[in-house]
Structures are given as C-alpha cells and as structure tokens.
Amino acid sequence: MIVRSRAPLRLGLAGGGTDVSPYSDQHGGFVMNVSIDKFAYATLVASNSGMTEFESLDTQCSEVFEPETVTLGPGPTQLMRGVYLRIADDFLEGRRPAVKVRAHSDAPPGSGLGSSSTMVVALVGAFAEYFGLALGEYEIAHLAYEIERQDLALSGGKQDQYAAAFGGFNFMEFYADDRVIVNPLRIKEWIWNELEASMVLYFTGVSRASAKIIDEQARNVREGKAQSLEAMHRLKQEAVQMKEALLRGDLARFAEVMQSGWLAKKQSASSITNPMIDELEALAFANGARAAKVSGAGGGGFMMFVCDPAERVRLVRALGAAGGTVYDAHFTPGGVASWRVG
C-alpha cells in the first residue's frame, strides 16, 4: 500500500506575527490568510528492508535507521523524524514501524509561504491515513504545531499549521493555552476572481531564516517595547479590517489595509525589511502596484503585490527585469488531503 498526501502553502494577508507567543498569549492574535495552489507532498510506504528510511527529495538527502535508533535532531530529514516519533509515541504505543517516508515541496524553506509547517501537516496527514487515525483539521494542525514548536524546538507561530490543515480563506484567532479558532470565509466568486487577477507573487530568490526575525519580535514583546507592541496591536486590528474588506469585495480597501499592515510589520522588528526589499517595493509602486508586503516573517522569500488588473502586465514586466521570479496567485479552497494508492 502506498499513501500520499499534500497540504497547501499559504499567503499571510494580515496579522502575521500576532499568532506567535508571547503576544498571542498576552493579547490574543488575529490573522487573515489564504491557501494557494502550491503544496507540500509526502509519500509513505512499508519498508521491505526492515529499516526506517527518510528521504528529502528537495535536498536529495536520505537517512536510513534501525527503527529504534531514530532520534530528533537537526538535519534535512528532521521534520520527517519528528512526525514519525510523535506518531509512534502518541498513537502506536511506542511501536516504531519500518516505513519509508519521502517528501518534497513546491517552495523552498525560507520562502515565507509557511513551507516547513505545511510539510509537517502533510506528513501528519500521511501518517494518519496510513495508520487509520481519526484526526480532524484541528487535531492535525495542533499536533503539527506541537511537533514543530515543542518537539523540534523550531521558532514560529501557529497560523501556518492551521492554514495548511483547513485551506481556503480563513480568519484565525489565537489565544493563551494554545486555543485556536478558525473562521472560514465564504468569499463570493467574483471577489475571488478579482483578487487573483489583482495579485502578483514574486520570489526574491533569497530564502531567509525566519527564526531570527520571529525571535526578535518575541523578545520585543517580552521586553514591552512600546513601538513594537503598538505595531503588533495595529497588525491584529488590520486582520479584522482585511476580513471585512474581503467579505464586502472592497479591493481598494484591501490594498490599503495590506499596505498599512506592511508598514506596521516593519516596525515590529528591525530585520523584517532590508535595502533589497525596499528597492523592490519602490519599483513595484512605480509600475502600478497599490500595495506590497513580504509573505511570512520578512527578510526575503516571496513578496506579494496588489495592482489594478489592467496594470498587471506592466508590473510583471518590471519585476521580471529585477532578477527574481514572478508567479500568478491562484487560491485553493481545500486543506490537507491524503489518499491510498493500490
């Protein structure tokens, strides 16, 4: 039997960073995001060799273990090992089966599209299907969060796991004690289409380590730095404003809120922007963009731009000449999916 799964990557539209502790614990966080048609994939099969095998197709790296010798730790297969060990401990009474796990993603780590967390969700989905575990979206997302943030001690927030598990347009609420509420939005078809026609994704070609930026944001909140805290409060409220703009189909307001949110985000940590990002933002506004922001923690990865669809070609040409890669933005309504082959 072969089990496969995939989970969608996401665009953080507003409120990103307010899902990260300690801010979400102290003040509550709001995030608005949407999943896109780029995915993380996982495949799980029985291992004929009696060994447990992990293979990262993106890095072309594989590791083979006696099942009882699999451990946590850094490396290109750490997400796979983390999921394997947690599933064994929580659902298999500590039994470690001999399996082969393979995974890859449509986006590189550090892209700002939540690729690492989405990969963990895809892996949890594959293991749940393989072992017949009755896990819903909330359970998959929470388990993925615990594996990544607690077991593997990787810095970050909570929105990526829930975006990958649920899919679609979601307004998310984050509170103390890991309480999360996902509010799926019913976006009218014409609004969905107009937004897709208005958005341009641009990969800067520079992946970044989000942990440094996230740690700086968290430190600023813990230390009570006024500018950073005020910026986080603005980001939280702008997630509400963006939700309202989307539901009403007010895309001019959508662009205003995105730009305002980007300005606030840049005040929450010093490393969120840099001269390269500032130059790309200026170039985009000179060629028809109405709003610009970096997806994810900042510092590089993917940027997103909003423009009048009639200005799209001019904006795409200007960005393409800047040396990065331009992508269309296509949204997807579904979250993680798993299936059996044969």
Side-chain angles (χ1 to χ4, degrees), residues 36-237:
I36 59 174
D37 62 346
K38 295 186 182 301
F39 300 90
Y41 304 87
T43 298
L44 184 60
V45 298
S47 172
N48 295 327
S49 66
M51 307 290 280
T52 295
E53 307 173 46
F54 304 102
E55 184 176 5
S56 168
L57 300 176
D58 294 318
T59 62
Q60 296 183 314
C61 178
S62 61
E63 295 180 311
V64 181
F65 299 87
E66 293 278 357
E68 296 306 316
T69 67
V70 178
T71 58
L72 297 174
T77 71
Q78 69 169 335
L79 299 180
M80 288 179 265
R81 287 183 277 116
V83 173
Y84 174 83
L85 290 172
R86 175 57 86 94
I87 293 292
D89 289 345
D90 284 9
F91 301 99
L92 306 180
E93 299 180 336
R95 179 174 58 87
R96 297 187 180 185
V99 293
K100 182 171 184 178
V101 187
R102 306 174 80 189
H104 69 284
S105 175
D106 287 335
S111 65
L113 301 180
S115 55
S116 296
S117 300
T118 304
M119 178 60 72
V120 178
V121 169
L123 288 162
V124 171
F127 274 91
E129 179 70 26
Y130 190 88
F131 291 106
L133 310 178
L135 300 179
E137 293 95 339
Y138 277 103
E139 290 82 8
I140 289 174
H142 181 68
L143 182 58
Y145 168 78
E146 287 193 333
I147 291 169
E148 194 172 6
R149 304 292 176 239
Q150 297 177 12
D151 299 356
L152 298 174
L154 300 175
S155 297
K158 301 182 181 74
Q159 70 155 316
D160 296 348
Q161 295 87 354
Y162 287 85
F166 282 84
F169 285 86
N170 290 295
F171 178 77
M172 301 182 178
E173 306 170 51
F174 302 93
Y175 300 104
D177 301 319
D178 292 333
R179 186 165 68 93
V180 180
I181 301 171
V182 178
N183 303 279
L185 302 189
R186 294 177 61 186
I187 303 298
K188 293 179 180 178
E189 185 177 3
W190 77 264
I191 300 172
W192 182 298
N193 292 339
E194 181 72 3
L195 189 57
E196 280 193 349
S198 303
M199 292 191 71
V200 175
L201 295 182
Y202 178 80
F203 184 54
T204 63
V206 179
S207 296
R208 82 287 179 270
S210 61
K212 176 183 176 182
I213 300 170
I214 292 167
D215 288 344
E216 182 184 352
Q217 284 180 313
R219 184 170 61 253
N220 289 342
V221 171
R222 283 194 300 270
E223 295 174 357
K225 292 188 176 179
Q227 177 178 302
S228 182
L229 265 177
E230 179 58 31
M232 297 293 279
H233 294 333
R234 284 169 54 197
L235 284 169
K236 176 181 173 180
Q237 290 309 310

Side-chain angles (χ1 to χ4, degrees), residues 220-268:
N220 289 342
V221 171
R222 283 194 300 270
E223 295 174 357
K225 292 188 176 179
Q227 177 178 302
S228 182
L229 265 177
E230 179 58 31
M232 297 293 279
H233 294 333
R234 284 169 54 197
L235 284 169
K236 176 181 173 180
Q237 290 309 310
E238 280 156 359
V240 177
Q241 295 166 15
M242 182 163 282
K243 175 189 69 172
E244 294 174 354
L246 274 169
L247 290 172
R248 293 175 179 271
D250 189 346
L251 296 193
R253 179 62 177 152
F254 176 94
E256 289 176 7
V257 174
M258 177 178 285
Q259 190 60 28
S260 176
W262 173 234
L263 294 176
K265 191 171 182 67
K266 287 192 284 188
Q267 294 180 338
S268 67

